[in-house]
Every structure is written in structure tokens, then in C-alpha cells.
Amino acid sequence: MASARGEFSSRLGFVLAAAGSAVGLGNIWNFPTQAASNGGAAFLLVYLVLAFTLAYPALMAELIIGRHAHANAVQALQRISPNAPVRMFGRTAGLIGLAVASLILSFYGIVAGWMIAFCISSFASVLGLESVSAWLVSFGFARNVIFMLLFMGLTIAIISRGVQDGIERWSARLMPMLILTLVLLVIYVLTLDGASEGLKVYLLPDFHRALSPDLILRAMGSSFFSLSLGVGTMLIYGSYIDDSQNLPLVGGMVTLVDISIAVLAGFLVLPAMYVALHNGVEIFGPGGELLSEDTLVFSVLPELFTTMGPTGVLVSILFFFLMTIAALTSSISMLEVPVAYCIEEHNVSRKTGVYAIGGAIAAFSTVILLNFDTLFGFVISLTTRYSEPLLGFVFCVYAGWILHRDKLLQELRKGNPGIEQGLFWKIWPWWVRVVCPTVILAIFAQSIWG
Ligand code: TRP
């Protein structure tokens, strides 16, 4: 049954695809800017603790449910439910997850489109096409729609090819390129004047700030979004892993790759900010707060790149190319959520499903662009602040309370016969039952009443 639905061909294939999903605009853009505006090393420290203690166990909940049920989130939650009301609840939660994944893609595609536009803009300036280059980096409806459609087209093209030929092959090609580009950029930026100032901010914690509840909540949300949790993405990827794989191990590898890339991106963005400062670019306001927190990548970094002279153009092309790759391996994992559901529940062909759903999401992105001021921020906070934590809570409850302990053990034993003796089995079952739901509810409560 599993192979008829498509399956990753190897452990490496799965790890690259899942890590590709996890590593995205969240790690390379969101994490470093959050760190920069929330006490640098203090944020890094809290983020690291939460990623291992909260996000990793929640990731395991999704992977285990997915592989156990060999189905998309809607069917998986229904399948493990003991009775009709719980089944109904699971189905509803799965459908909401599917809608949230589509909504996340609708704003993600817009931001990723900007990345492509900035990358091509640098190319255009190399060719001396200055007016084209300037148009590409200025905010406008035509540019926004064209590049959103381009990005969505790429996402649709990859997903229409299925699990092994599409998701796995492209993640395996793009992920190593991404890591290499990032490392080269970090090495380059660290040789520049002013970089050491940024390194200090990033590596010397101010413990005063590490204990602030606001910082802890932000770090939690960040780690959650970064591992693609709470919409069924990791659940569906889990359903494509074969039974011989050791789930806690592969989940751990994905978490490590995700965290490492976020931390590595911090070594690029924080020093780069201070290099920019050193070169006379304003990045802090009078109160010491970061200017243009949300758009740092699109304003401060290009300015930094231009101050670098001819090399700056190359660095700029590389950087925005890297962002595009990172966004693409994430966007394919979002689109797979509604697509897998349509294929498995409504028997549509993969191609039809992908074109119809991808088209509908692109149409919604256009609606967002037409009402940018009202819809853009609203969709982002609706999905990432409210829906994701609540659905993550539901996945943990299903793994901890509804999926029977024997079934969990049976599932984990498949790839690791000695699991019962290990630390993971001693801690994880009650952790996901008690600690994770409590902490996630706290995030949710904070975003409503905080
Ligand atoms: N994790 C990705 C990032 O850091 C974004 C992402 C991909 C995502 N799939 C997701 C976020 C599913 C939430 C849900 O950019």
C-alpha cells in the first residue's frame, strides 16, 4: 500500500526532503532577524533549548502518526480515532491543517517571488540594464504578481512529478547547493570589517533578556514554524518513509539540519548587519531598535551588497538564489498537503490535483496582492500565530492520548527493535502527552491574551 502511494527511496532522500521542508525563509530570514532584535545570543540559547525540547518531540508525533496510518493528515487522524466523535474531530482538524498549509503557501509564494526578483535584478545590473534592475526591486503589483506566479509555477512543476521524481530528487539536488552557498557567504562576510561586532552580539548572551517571557514565546513560535509543524506537512512526509527506518533517528537528523542552518544563517545575517553599519548604512533607530525588522533582507542587505563593489553583485545573486532554493524546498512540502489529500480521498490524478490546487492558491495570492495592506499581515498572523500552535497541540494529543501506547511502541520498533531500552522511549511518550500540549497551549493563550 505504501509503495502504491509513493515513498522516499532512501533514508537520505527522506532526510533531505524533510530538511528541505524545514529549512526555508523561516531559518534564513526569520530566525536571524529575530535573534538580532531579541538580544542575540540570548535568543539563540532559548531557541536551541526549545527546538530540542518542544519542536523535536512534536515533529516525532507527526512522523509517527503519518507512518503508522500511511495516509494524509485528514485520513490519518480519522484512522487512529477510537469512536465517531473523535473521528469527526480528527477529520476537521486535518481539513483545517490542509487549509492552513494552503494559506501559508499563499503568502510564502509572494515573499519567495520577491527573492527571485531580487536575484534577477542583480543579474540585470551586471548586464547594465539599470532600469530593469530598479523595476525588479521596487514594490509594485505587476512585479509582485509576475514573480509570485513564476514561483508557484516552479512549485507546481516539482510537485506534479510525485514523491521520488519530484520532491525527493529536487530536494537532493537543491539542499547541498543551499548549504554550500550559505557556507561560502558566511566565510566571505566574516572577512569584512565590522563583522566581529555582529559576532559578539550573536555569541555573548545577555541573560537578563534570555529570561523574558516575550523572548521565550517568540523563540518557541520560531522553532515551531521552522520545523514545518502543525499543518500535516511532516505527517505526510512521515507517511512516505518505509518501515525499516528508525524514526527517532531520522527525525533527530532533520531537526539537527534545520537548527544548524538557522544558526549558520545567523553567522551570515548578524555580521552582515554590522558590516553594513560599519559602511554607513543605518540599521538601528534612535532607541537602538532594528529598523525595518520585517524587510531587513530586502532593504539593508542589498545596500550592504552595493557597498561591496563588484563582488557585491555576485554576493547578492548568490544570496537571493539561496533564499529562492530554500523557499522552493519548503513550498513543495506545503503544496503536497492538500494535493495528497485530494489524490487519496477524491481519486483525482496527481497532475489534475496539483494544477487545480496550485492554481487556486495562486489566485488567492493575487487577491492578497490586490489587498496587500489588509490581507498580507492578517494571513501571516492567522496561520503562523494562531492556527499552527493549535493544530500542533492536536497532533500531540493524538500521538500522546489517542494512539495507543502499544501501537506507538509497535511503530517505533519497526526500525529499531531495541527502542524500549532507549532513552527516547523512556521520555518521549509522557513528554508528548503532558509537556508538549501544555507548552503549546501556553503559546496559543499568549497569542490571544498576551
Ligand atoms: N519551515 C519552513 C521555513 O522555515 C516553512 C514551512 C514549510 C512551513 N512547510 C511548512 C511552515 C508547513 C509551516 C507549516 O521557512
Side-chain angles (χ1 to χ4, degrees):
M1 175 172 143
S3 51
R5 313 174 48 238
E7 197 171 76
F8 291 112
S9 68
S10 65
R11 172 192 292 182
L12 185 67
F14 166 76
V15 171
L16 286 172
S21 161
V23 175
L25 304 178
N27 304 61
I28 298 178
W29 164 232
N30 178 51
F31 169 78
T33 12
Q34 291 267 8
S37 48
N38 292 290
F43 186 85
L44 173 63
L45 204 71
V46 176
Y47 179 86
L48 286 177
V49 170
L50 292 173
F52 287 110
T53 57
L54 175 70
Y56 170 67
L59 169 68
M60 290 310 302
E62 285 201 36
L63 291 181
I64 292 175
I65 295 174
R67 195 177 67 176
H68 177 74
H70 275 309
N72 62 78
V74 180
Q75 293 181 341
L77 293 184
Q78 289 184 88
R79 247 174 236 180
I80 62 175
S81 299
N83 55 43
V86 179
R87 248 194 312 281
M88 193 58 210
F89 184 78
R91 181 179 170 76
T92 311
L95 286 172
I96 295 175
L98 183 158
V100 173
S102 310
L103 283 176
I104 291 178
L105 182 54
S106 72
F107 75 76
Y108 212 81
I110 294 172
V111 180
W114 296 338
M115 298 294 169
I116 303 180
F118 272 71
C119 182
I120 297 178
S121 161
S122 302
F123 261 117
S125 78
V126 173
L127 300 176
L129 304 168
E130 289 309 330
S131 61
V132 176
S133 169
W135 179 77
L136 286 168
V137 297
S138 49
F139 193 92
F141 181 72
R143 182 209 62 170
N144 291 346
V145 170
I146 290 169
F147 286 93
M148 177 274 291
L149 289 176
L150 181 61
F151 181 80
M152 290 299 290
L154 289 172
T155 305
I156 288 170
I158 295 176
I159 279 297
S160 68
R161 292 190 164 78
V163 176
Q164 274 191 22
D165 283 352
I167 302 175
E168 179 176 335
R169 174 173 306 169
W170 282 92
S171 299
R173 278 182 193 162
L174 297 176
M175 283 297 293
M177 246 199 276
L178 183 155
I179 295 172
L180 184 70
T181 313
L182 191 56
V183 170
L184 289 177
L185 278 178
V186 169
I187 293 172
Y188 178 73
V189 164
L190 288 181
T191 63
L192 300 174
D193 286 342
S196 60
E197 206 40 48
L199 269 187
K200 259 187 229 151
V201 173
Y202 193 39
L203 294 177
L204 301 176
D206 169 358
F207 283 106
H208 227 66
R209 301 192 62 170
L211 299 175
S212 109
D214 182 55
L215 179 144
I216 293 173
L217 284 166
R218 278 163 178 262
M220 250 186 307
S222 245
S223 68
F224 216 76
F225 181 79
S226 183
L227 269 176
S228 310
L229 300 176
V231 300
T233 284
M234 288 302 181
L235 195 150
I236 191 80
Y237 273 27
S239 78
Y240 299 145
I241 311 179
D242 71 80
D243 284 346
S244 67
Q245 300 299 333
N246 178 347
L247 285 180
L249 180 72
V250 293
M253 284 157 78
V254 171
T255 308
L256 269 183
V257 171
D258 183 54
I259 294 172
S260 312
I261 294 190
V263 172
L264 190 61
F267 279 102
L268 169 67
V269 175
L270 276 91
M273 282 168 49
Y274 285 83
V275 173
L277 192 66
H278 182 264
N279 292 350
V281 178
E282 286 253 1
I283 56 170
F284 295 111
E289 78 285 1
L290 205 56
L291 293 174
S292 68
E293 196 182 316
D294 299 333
T295 51
L296 194 73
V297 154
F298 300 106
S299 56
V300 173
L301 289 183
E303 273 199 64
L304 161 75
F305 297 146
T306 41
T307 60
M308 288 178 183
T311 1
V313 184
L314 188 69
V315 176
S316 173
I317 292 173
L318 268 177
F319 182 79
F320 289 109
F321 178 65
L322 163 80
M323 296 298 277
T324 306
I325 291 172
L328 199 56
T329 54
S330 298
S331 63
I332 57 179
S333 77
M334 295 172 203
L335 186 55
E336 182 66 10
V337 174
V339 166
Y341 167 77
C342 277
I343 295 173
E344 290 172 17
E345 182 124 337
H346 297 294
N347 276 328
V348 291
S349 75
R350 177 167 276 272
K351 284 223 154 43
T352 314
V354 170
Y355 291 131
I357 297 166
I361 295 173
F364 189 71
S365 300
T366 311
V367 173
I368 295 182
L369 285 170
L370 284 169
N371 303 280
F372 193 83
D373 292 339
T374 42
L375 282 184
F376 187 69
F378 173 73
V379 174
I380 293 179
S381 70
L382 177 75
T383 52
T384 61
R385 279 182 67 189
Y386 300 95
S387 317
E388 277 196 78
L390 192 60
L391 287 162
F393 169 82
V394 172
F395 288 126
C396 285
V397 167
Y398 268 79
W401 296 87
I402 293 173
L403 194 57
H404 198 274
R405 212 180 137 88
D406 295 345
K407 292 240 173 78
L408 284 177
L409 185 58
Q410 208 182 4
E411 192 54 51
L412 287 165
R413 266 214 200 105
K414 285 179 184 163
N416 181 356
I419 187 95
E420 265 170 290
Q421 277 76 51
L423 201 58
F424 183 83
W425 183 250
K426 292 202 172 77
I427 297 174
W428 182 79
W430 67 266
W431 194 270
V432 80
R433 227 175 133 94
V434 181
V435 180
C436 292
T438 314
V439 171
I440 292 167
L441 265 199
I443 302 176
F444 188 61
Q446 172 75 15
S447 32
I448 292 180
W449 295 293

